[in-house]
Amino acid sequence: MGSKAATKGTSRTAWFEGRGGAATTATSCVTVIGGGRIGNMLMDSAGPEDKLLKRGDVVDANGAGPVFIATRNDSLQAIVDECPEGRRKDLVFLQNGYLDNFLEKNGLGENTQSLLFVAVTSLGADPIDGITSVNPEGLTAATGEHAEALKERLASVDMKCNVLSPEEYRPAMFEKLIWISTYMLVGAAKECESVGEAGSEHTDLVSSVISELVAAVSAKEGIEFKEGTIERLAAYTDVVTNFPCAVKEFEWRNQYFFDLGDEACPTHNGLLRECEEKGFLSFELPK
C-alpha cells in the first residue's frame, strides 16, 4: 500500500486530468514563507532543496529562486524588512487585496504577484481550484519574473495558473479585489452564512455593487475590463459557495473603494456603514 501522500497525489492527479489539466512535477527550487494552508499546499510537492520558513526564520541571503509569501497581509512589512536586500527581488506576493501602495512604498512594484483563486478549507485539505463554468482555464494568475515558477509549482499540486503580462494582470487583480470586497460585504451586511447565500439570495444587490465598483475603478485607473465580470465572479462563487462572509483586512480590501467616495461608490459605502451600525465591523470606518 502506498503512503497517504502518494495516494493523495495520485487521486488529485486523476481529478485534475479529468478536468483538462496535465499534471507535472515541480523542478524549481523555492522558498515558502508561512506554514498555513496555502504554504503547506505549495510545499506538498517539495523537493530536497525547497525550504519552508516559519516565524523567526530568515531568507537565505546567498540563496536563489522565488520566495513565495503565504502569510496574512499584516505580516508583509516585517517580512520585507527582514529579507536580505539582495533577495527582495525574489519575493512573490500571493495575498488578496490592493497591494499597490505597499509595494511602491517598499520599492517592490516590479515584483512577482499572483491572484490565487484557490480555497483550502483546512490545513492539509485538497485545494479547490478556481476552475469555473465560465473560465475552464482557471482564474488563478501571476505576473512577473517568477510567474512561470509559480505556475510550475501549482501545476505540481494539480492547480492551474495563467501567466499574464502586467497590462493583462491589472484588470484581473481588480476583479479579484471586487469579488472579495463585494460578496463578503453583501453577505456580512445581509447576515448570510456564505458567499453562495449572498449571491443567490441577494443577486441584484451583488450585481449592482460589482457594476458600481467596475465603473469606479475604470474611472480612477483608466482600466478597461473584459465583458462579463458579473458572470465570471458569480461562477467563481459557485465553486467556493460555502466560504463564510466577513468584512476584514479593510485597509487591504474595501478601503480602496471607500476612499473613492460616496459619489463613486454609494452602494458599497452604504453597506459598509450598515455593517458598522449593526456592530459587524471589528474596526471603525474612516470619518
Side-chain angles (χ1 to χ4, degrees):
M1 180 179 293
S3 68
K4 181 178 179 181
T7 302
K8 180 179 176 181
T10 300
S11 62
R12 186 184 287 163
T13 298
W15 169 85
F16 184 70
E17 291 176 341
R19 298 185 76 179
T24 187
T25 301
T27 58
S28 298
C29 176
V30 307
T31 299
V32 176
I33 300 177
R37 290 174 291 178
I38 298 298
N40 273 272
M41 177 193 76
L42 293 171
M43 291 295 290
D44 213 25
S45 61
E49 301 301 317
D50 294 338
K51 297 178 181 179
L52 175 63
L53 305 185
K54 297 184 180 180
R55 188 181 302 275
D57 295 333
V58 179
V59 174
D60 184 357
N62 298 313
V67 179
F68 300 133
I69 307 176
T71 68
R72 291 173 59 89
N73 297 51
D74 58 10
S75 298
L76 290 178
Q77 190 61 62
I79 290 169
V80 171
D81 291 343
E82 294 168 7
C83 183
E85 189 73 31
R87 296 300 310 280
R88 290 184 181 180
K89 62 181 177 55
D90 293 321
L91 296 176
V92 177
F93 295 88
L94 310 178
Q95 286 69 29
N96 282 315
Y98 182 73
L99 302 182
D100 285 19
N101 294 341
F102 170 83
L103 294 175
E104 291 299 331
K105 179 184 71 173
N106 286 281
L108 303 174
E110 301 300 316
N111 276 51
T112 303
Q113 298 180 60
S114 177
L115 307 168
L116 289 182
F117 281 86
V118 175
V120 184
T121 56
S122 61
L123 193 66
D126 284 339
I128 301 170
D129 201 350
I131 298 172
T132 75
S133 57
V134 176
N135 292 96
E137 75 280 9
L139 287 167
T140 292
T143 190
E145 177 183 353
H146 294 303
E148 289 289 351
L150 178 61
K151 179 178 181 178
E152 179 186 67
R153 178 52 53 120
L154 290 172
S156 74
V157 291
D158 306 332
M159 308 292 285
K160 293 187 176 184
C161 178
N162 303 288
V163 175
L164 305 179
S165 69
E167 295 75 23
E168 294 169 324
Y169 183 84
R170 196 150 178 78
M173 179 274 286
F174 275 108
E175 277 204 3
K176 179 75 183 293
L177 181 63
I178 288 170
W179 179 81
I180 203 164
S181 298
T182 298
Y183 279 89
M184 297 292 185
L185 175 59
V186 170
K190 302 308 177 186
E191 302 183 49
C192 299
E193 293 187 359
S194 66
V195 294
E197 182 181 345
S200 62
E201 297 298 320
H202 303 280
T203 306
D204 290 344
L205 179 57
V206 166
S207 297
S208 176
V209 175
I210 291 174
S211 296
E212 177 178 286
L213 301 188
V214 165
V217 170
S218 297
K220 174 69 164 55
E221 306 287 345
I223 289 174
E224 184 174 343
F225 291 86
K226 293 180 181 178
E227 291 291 329
T229 296
I230 292 173
E231 292 75 17
R232 281 191 295 277
L233 299 186
Y236 177 62
T237 304
D238 289 341
V239 173
V240 294
T241 187
N242 293 323
F243 205 82
C245 298
V247 179
K248 54 187 179 180
E249 297 191 322
F250 174 72
E251 64 272 28
W252 300 93
R253 300 181 184 183
N254 295 79
Q255 186 165 8
Y256 173 86
F257 303 108
F258 189 80
D259 287 349
L260 294 181
D262 291 351
E263 184 174 345
C265 305
T267 309
H268 170 273
N269 289 3
L271 287 168
L272 276 172
R273 294 189 180 98
E274 180 179 338
C275 286
E276 185 174 51
E277 290 169 1
K278 292 178 177 178
F280 294 161
L281 302 182
S282 61
F283 55 89
E284 291 186 3
L285 291 174
K287 303 303 181 185

